[in-house]
Amino acid sequence: MAANPFDQQQPISGVKKIIAVASGKGGVGKSTVATNLALALREFGTVGLLDADIYGPSLPRMMGALNQKPTIADGNKIIPITRYGIKIMSIGFMVEEGAAVVWRGPMLFKAMDQFFRDVQWGELDYLIIDLPPGTGDVQLSLVQKVPTWGAVIVSTPQNISLVDAKKAIDMFERTGVKIAGMVENMSYMLNPTNQEKIQLYPKGEMNSYLNSKKIPKLVEIPFNPSVSLASEAGIPIVESNPTGTEGLVFKDLAKKISTMV
Ligand code: ADP
C-alpha cells in the first residue's frame, strides 16, 4: 500500500497555532492581511511570520526588514529576524530583491522543511504563513509537513477573484485543513467627504457561496491608499495607525482568530 503522505506531518516544537493565509489569485491583498494579522495578534500572544511566497516574497519590504540577513546559531539553527516584536523568516532574506527563485517541487519541499525545522522559532502562540497564490507545491508541502490549525482565505469581492479562492478552499478541505474563514479585502472604499461606502468592485456571489459552505466571513477590509502606503514604507497600518478604521478591522480579525478553537 502506498504511504500516506500526511504521515510525515510533525508539529513545529514550541509552536501552537499554525495559520495559513491563502488566496486564489495574486494581488488581492494576501500579504497585506498576513502582515497586519500578525501584528494585530501580538495582543493575544507571541507571533511568528513565515513568508512562504517563494515566487514573490514581499514580507521583508512590508515589514521594514529589507536587506536583513538572518544569522546562524550554534547547532545550525537559523535565527529569524525580529521586527515589531514578530519573528520573521522569508526566502527574501536569502536572495536579492528582484532576483527570481527558479525551483522545482523537490527544492521547494526542501526549503519548506528548512523553514519549519531549521529556524529557531522558539515558543510561539501563532505562526502565520503567507502562502503563494494558488494551489501548488508550497501549499501541498505545508499541509503534508505540519499540522496546520486553519486557513484564512483572502479574496476581493468580485467573482473573478472568488472563483480562484474557491479552489484554494477546496484544496484545504481535501487535505483536512479547517477553513477559519474568509477575509473580503478591498470590500468598499469610504468616500472621504461624506464617509459613504463606494463599491469599487461588483459584488459577486461571495456571501451566498460562504453561506452555502457555512464558512464565516471574518471581516470586510476597506480599500484605503494609506494601507498600501504603510506597507510600502515598511510600517504596516496596524503598526502605523492602530486605531484608524483599517487598524481596528485587523484588530477585530485577530480577536476572532484568537478566540476560535
Ligand atoms: P497579494 O499578497 O495577494 O499578492 P498584496 O498584499 O501584495 O497582495 O497587495 C497587493 C497590492 O494591493 C499592494 O500594493 C497592497 O499595498 C495593496 N492593498 C492590499 N490591500 C489593500 C487595501 N485594503 N487598501 C489599499 N491597498 C491595498
Side-chain angles (χ1 to χ4, degrees):
M1 204 170 72
N4 180 346
F6 296 95
D7 288 348
Q8 298 170 18
Q9 265 193 9
Q10 261 178 24
I12 306 175
S13 74
V15 176
K16 291 189 185 135
K17 265 187 183 175
I18 299 174
I19 303 171
V21 179
S23 69
K25 279 206 188 302
V28 297
K30 174 183 51 60
S31 297
T32 305
V33 170
T35 46
N36 283 293
L37 171 61
L39 288 161
L41 274 170
R42 286 174 304 180
E43 203 177 314
F44 305 97
T46 46
V47 187
L49 183 56
L50 169 58
D51 185 359
D53 194 345
I54 306 266
Y55 302 111
S58 34
L59 295 201
R61 177 175 289 276
M62 285 188 175
M63 292 294 283
L66 266 186
N67 303 320
Q68 302 268 341
K69 293 276 172 253
T71 49
I72 308 286
D74 320 330
N76 295 329
K77 286 278 186 189
I78 304 167
I79 304 177
I81 301 294
T82 300
R83 194 80 172 123
Y84 308 125
I86 292 175
K87 288 183 183 164
I88 313 168
M89 189 58 215
S90 169
I91 195 73
F93 294 140
M94 315 293 192
V95 295
E96 292 297 314
E97 201 185 31
V101 175
V102 190
W103 286 349
R104 287 181 186 278
M107 283 289 282
L108 290 176
F109 273 57
K110 193 142 186 284
M112 291 293 281
D113 233 11
Q114 288 191 312
F115 282 152
F116 297 138
R117 312 289 167 214
D118 298 343
V119 173
Q120 209 167 62
W121 289 112
E123 299 288 319
L124 291 181
D125 293 303
Y126 306 98
L127 177 61
I128 305 293
I129 304 193
D130 185 15
L131 288 170
T135 56
D137 285 328
V138 173
Q139 287 79 355
L140 198 59
S141 168
L142 170 75
V143 297
Q144 285 186 359
K145 287 179 190 299
V146 294
T148 306
W149 168 80
V152 172
I153 311 293
V154 183
S155 176
T156 48
Q158 71 277 42
N159 284 334
I160 282 181
S161 168
L162 178 66
V163 164
D164 286 347
K166 285 181 185 174
K167 293 182 200 164
I169 290 172
D170 185 45
M171 184 212 69
F172 285 115
E173 285 180 342
R174 280 168 194 251
T175 51
V177 175
K178 170 177 69 187
I179 306 295
M182 172 71 79
V183 168
E184 187 180 274
N185 190 26
M186 310 193 205
S187 206
Y188 57 89
M189 185 176 171
L190 286 177
N191 182 334
T193 52
N194 60 10
Q195 297 299 302
E196 259 176 28
K197 283 186 181 180
I198 302 167
Q199 213 65 66
L200 285 177
Y201 299 113
K203 289 276 179 199
E205 291 152 16
M206 171 88 80
N207 289 350
S208 57
Y209 166 75
L210 294 178
N211 281 339
S212 71
K213 299 278 291 178
K214 300 200 167 42
I215 293 172
K217 188 194 268 182
L218 298 169
V219 287
E220 296 182 343
I221 304 170
F223 176 91
N224 187 335
S226 60
V227 170
S228 195
L229 278 170
S231 293
E232 290 280 320
I235 316 169
I237 199 79
V238 165
E239 186 66 19
S240 56
N241 188 9
T243 53
T245 306
E246 295 75 25
L248 293 176
V249 172
F250 281 114
K251 200 172 231 188
D252 184 27
L253 174 63
K255 196 170 172 197
K256 284 181 175 156
I257 297 285
S258 70
T259 49
M260 218 179 262
V261 280

